[in-house]
Amino acid sequence: MTSHDSSVATSAPDSAAAGPRLVTGTVCGRAGAWLFVRSSEGEQRAQVAPSCLLAPEDGDVVLLCLAPDMPLAEPLDGAMRVLPCRQHVLAVLSRAAPTQAQAMVQLPGGARFVTQEGSLRIEGREVDIAASAGLRARTPQFTLEAAHGDLRFGHANASAGSFTGVIGQMQLFARDLSTQVGRLVQKVRSSFRTVEDLDDLRAGRTRWEVEGHAQLHARQATVLAEGTVKIDGQRIDLG
């Protein structure tokens, strides 16, 4: 039996119109966190949904969700209530310049990935990398810049073909220090060394050449030689 009730005939279109609709549009501008999207529905002011990780740029074709009756999430305790938004950009369908040099993936919380001309940059307040087994990095060139750095290892091994270091001030604290080198060349402006206990030098040959005055002061001094002891000077004072 066919019903002629006008209220029944009009209720279906009204409920359908109140539901969410998906349209495509082109980003034509932005103001802060808001985007302006031009579509068949006219120009809409929309926000980027958290599910849209690729940040839309001007001229991009995007998928726009129009949901007039979409419920709003209640803010957490102490959080600021944001302005209601019924239009959201769900995804970027095509870029205005497919070969454009830069693209950005925006993550909730402010962190983001930025790619530009084949390079990748990770931006965030803090970046933590946690690996349970190991962490490896292979690259022809490695650059690390920081205002302050801390390195902590239970055991560390380092190997380099050549090493050049420029240090303004350096302090080294070690319980035991052992070095083995084939040849050691040092050039310093002034050298001060304090040895509290024993200073033992063993060498095949030793030569001292002092341009100015040389002084040896000790409570007791002993010079032992199996061969000849030679003292040569214009004047020799003993005692």
Side-chain angles (χ1 to χ4, degrees), residues 127-135:
V127 178
D128 295 335
I129 301 177
S132 59
L135 178 64

